Amino acid sequence: MTENNINSYAIEAKDLNLYYGETLAVRDVNIQIEKQKITAMIGPSGCGKSTVLRAFNRMNDLIPSAHANGSVLYHGKNIYEEDVDPVEVRRRIGMVFQKPNPFPKSIYDNVAWGAQINGYTGNMDDLVEESLRGAALWNEVKDNLDKSGLSLSGGQQQRLCIARTIAVKPDIILMDEPASALDPIATLKIEDLMQELAKDFTIIVVTHNMQQAARVSNFTAFFNLGEDYAGVLEEYGVTAEIFTNPKKKTTEDYITGRFG
Amino acid sequence: MSEIKKKEGFADNLPERHRSGQFWSNLFRISTGVGIVALIALLLNITNSAFGYVAIENRIDPESLAINGIPLEQLHPIDLTYILKQNVSAGYFRNLENEMPFEQRTREEIYDLVIERVVEPEAASTWSLFDSLFHKSEIQAEVAEKYPNADLHFTSWINGNFLVSPQSANAERAGVRTAVLGSLWVIFITLLFAFPLGVGAAIYLEEYAGDLWINRLIQTNINNLAGVPSIIYGILGLAIFVRALEPVTSGAFLGTMDPTTANGRTILSAGLTLGLLILPLIIINAQEAIRAVPSSLRQASFGLGATKWQTIWHHVLPNSIPGILTGTILAISRALGETAPLVVVGASTFITFDPESPFSKFTALPIQIYQWTSRPQAEFRNIAAAAIIVLLMILLSLNAVAVVLRNKYSNKL
Ligand SMILES: Nc1ncnc2c1ncn2[C@@H]1O[C@H](COP(=O)(O)OP(=O)(O)O)[C@@H](O)[C@H]1O
Ligand SMILES: [Mg+2]
């Protein structure tokens, strides 16, 4: 995968259709994600936000029935082509999940493991510290690096998951409702962290919290259920634009809380 | 309560519903009770035979063997050798001398020989623990009348000697050493064969096999195999390991054939047969343990760019190994108690030598118990009970290890 200078987007979906078995889950997605910006994906539940997000790093491959049609361009290359190794894709496009899922290992190992298996040759202690600092967790855990990652609070666990993701130095970080299992204070910390991270990474975040999307994102993609119950990308644009001046009626209804 | 009015359209049947609940709860209590009574009866039955009075009759009164007023126990080895020479056949004495000259034998050894060959203590009669506790005077009267020369004392058939003595034709001298060592050898082979194979199959079925009809068929068959009667496995083992693979299982291919075995009826055959028997159990248990690893861990691992094998090796296996081990231990305790397949594969009925290699003849604890219970002499039933206690102890400790493992790791995830 070589850098394509013409293409200034971080990742791009073209005519992307996503299926579970015979069922079309998401229809015809065309979206271009800007580099080092935060893009929020909003929409009613079941409209396929997670499905689209997982399509960006081929996590859907883990679901036997799932398959994709169309292309996802990353550095100008369709990641669904035969010669692309999904393992490589996932190292470059990391993921943070809805429920914090640290490994039942020490805090140190949680961060170091991903780098280790990817063949990181630099100084591991430095990488762990750098990643934990990057995830705004270092000061809270620096004296307890050998404690289990599971002993942390939910918000700390989620930041630990972010730390281990940035430790493998991806380009893009996908976040699927990263704060929905957390209390409001932990949620705010994650939001601050996302803005910090956007200086180095491209972030795509699924959220069902409209205020969150409005607060943190630069761009917003509104997904909705089509009349055949397949998800569609209704509207996509600059967040301020979507929230103050939506082009479509359904978008307006959704963000003003009339359904969802 | 009376002010709570009956709701329109609903029957006033609460007492009736409580009654029916009470009925079922009583029924369940009774079934639990029956189970516990059966268990207690089993334990009582075994203990009843494993302890009790025994009347020992000597062929020759040891007191009559005293020389110059020195009792037998304190005699010099030379005197003991003399007594032995006087009382056994010349041929037998020469045999002993040839085995090892008497000057080189310890005093205890010679004394034991005198007791065994000259005094020849024999259990004239044995009594159960129940009789020994509650009919002591009747027993004493009976002994005084029927066996005036007998020595009556309370004995535990399970004792140190019993644990370390080899099999013997004489119930007083027989022990479980041969059988316990045989069981351990067989189980070791079983484990060596079934554990890696079973865990490997479980990993394949859970992590690699797609949802194809052929994989579903394999899965169904494994589930069914777990329920096949064990004697069928014995017949299978006889056909494959004892007959078809005889050159391998007898050790002939290594040139290390045990001189006492001229066929494939060896520890190796028995271990492999029991391995086949518990293979489905190990696979199913390991599959369950692997399935219990939360998928969020797998996702986290894949999300960091791990390969499938890295995910399995670093996350799935470490987090499922306690469950896998628990299942394996339970399968092993099943194999330890199996008798029928070993009979079919050809466990030896009488060996007194310790097994030395996978190509040795073998016997096992349940086989030994079965043989002892089918002997007509009452003492053999006593030592069978003692052997059952040994077997139960081994099984209980295995299960205890399984429970500890499960409790230690179950709340980790
Ligand atoms: N593993 C799966 N297998 C089959 N169908 C699925 C699976 N995951 C999601 N779906 C279906 O795909 C549609 C979109 O789901 P999802 O992407 O989870 O929506 P969202 O994240 O927007 O709530 C839903 O109809 C859902 O039932
Ligand atoms: Mg979702």
Side-chain angles (χ1 to χ4, degrees), chain B residues 206-253:
Chain B
E206 282 305 309
E207 300 287 330
Y208 290 98
D211 193 24
L212 301 174
W213 68 269
I214 177 84
N215 293 326
R216 280 203 297 271
L217 187 74
I218 290 172
Q219 183 72 62
T220 312
N221 274 313
I222 289 171
N223 296 345
N224 286 335
L225 278 178
V228 167
S230 57
I231 189 129
I232 312 272
Y233 284 97
I235 293 167
L236 186 69
L238 180 69
I240 300 178
F241 302 125
V242 178
R243 301 256 161 81
L245 295 177
E246 194 202 307
V248 178
T249 51
S250 67
F253 80 113

Side-chain angles (χ1 to χ4, degrees), chain B residues 11 137 139 149 176 215 254 332 361:
Chain B
S137 49
I139 293 173
N149 300 323
V176 284
N215 293 326
L254 288 175
I332 283 294
K361 294 204 296 191

Side-chain angles (χ1 to χ4, degrees), chain A residues 59 62 87 90-91 94 97 101 103-105 113 117-118 150 164-165, chain B residues 296-297 299-307 310 314-315 319 412-413:
Chain A
M59 281 298 268
L62 304 186
V87 173
R90 291 185 206 121
R91 191 190 77 67
F97 300 85
N101 56 354
F103 299 123
K105 295 174 181 284
W113 188 77
I117 54 136
N118 279 295
L150 295 174
R164 87 182 161 195
T165 303
Chain B
S296 63
L297 272 188
Q299 287 176 356
S301 172
F302 282 118
L304 288 171
T307 63
Q310 285 173 324
H314 290 274
H315 300 294
N319 287 297
K412 227 189 104 184
L413 287 183

Side-chain angles (χ1 to χ4, degrees), chain B residues 98-272:
Chain B
N98 287 346
E99 261 175 37
M100 191 195 252
F102 279 95
E103 300 87 71
Q104 292 173 21
R105 294 181 188 242
T106 63
R107 209 197 79 91
E108 278 71 44
E109 243 178 288
I110 305 174
Y111 178 77
D112 285 348
L113 275 171
V114 171
I115 294 292
E116 189 181 315
R117 291 290 157 181
V118 182
V119 179
E120 279 190 38
E122 279 247 334
S125 188
T126 65
W127 288 269
S128 68
L129 181 61
F130 181 81
D131 287 341
S132 305
L133 289 180
F134 300 108
H135 303 291
K136 194 172 169 191
S137 49
E138 283 99 318
I139 293 173
Q140 279 164 339
E142 190 185 340
V143 171
E145 187 193 331
K146 283 209 224 153
Y147 319 104
N149 300 323
D151 204 9
L152 183 70
H153 59 97
F154 191 86
T155 189
S156 157
W157 291 94
I158 174 162
N159 53 43
N161 261 340
F162 180 73
L163 295 180
V164 299
S165 305
Q167 157 76 306
S168 159
N170 183 321
E172 283 86 66
R173 259 177 280 126
V176 284
R177 180 197 176 93
T178 325
V180 168
L181 288 177
S183 277
L184 292 181
W185 264 102
V186 168
I187 286 303
F188 176 69
I189 301 283
T190 303
L191 201 56
L192 218 57
F193 169 67
F195 183 73
L197 219 58
V199 176
I203 292 174
Y204 174 77
L205 287 171
E206 282 305 309
E207 300 287 330
Y208 290 98
D211 193 24
L212 301 174
W213 68 269
I214 177 84
N215 293 326
R216 280 203 297 271
L217 187 74
I218 290 172
Q219 183 72 62
T220 312
N221 274 313
I222 289 171
N223 296 345
N224 286 335
L225 278 178
V228 167
S230 57
I231 189 129
I232 312 272
Y233 284 97
I235 293 167
L236 186 69
L238 180 69
I240 300 178
F241 302 125
V242 178
R243 301 256 161 81
L245 295 177
E246 194 202 307
V248 178
T249 51
S250 67
F253 80 113
L254 288 175
T256 58
M257 195 139 84
D258 192 311
T260 57
T261 2
N263 54 40
R265 295 162 186 273
T266 56
I267 285 176
L268 185 58
S269 295
L272 293 176

Side-chain angles (χ1 to χ4, degrees), chain A residues 138-165:
Chain A
W138 176 251
N139 288 330
E140 288 155 73
V141 301
K142 61 173 185 255
D143 299 322
N144 294 309
L145 289 180
D146 49 2
K147 261 179 53 179
S148 167
L150 295 174
S151 65
L152 299 175
S153 73
Q156 291 174 321
Q157 288 190 11
Q158 196 62 300
R159 278 179 281 145
L160 179 62
C161 292
I162 292 172
R164 87 182 161 195
T165 303

Side-chain angles (χ1 to χ4, degrees), chain A residues 20 25 44-51 54 63 65:
Chain A
Y20 291 108
S45 60
C47 69
K49 305 179 295 294
S50 300
T51 304
R54 289 195 301 259
I63 302 166
S65 69

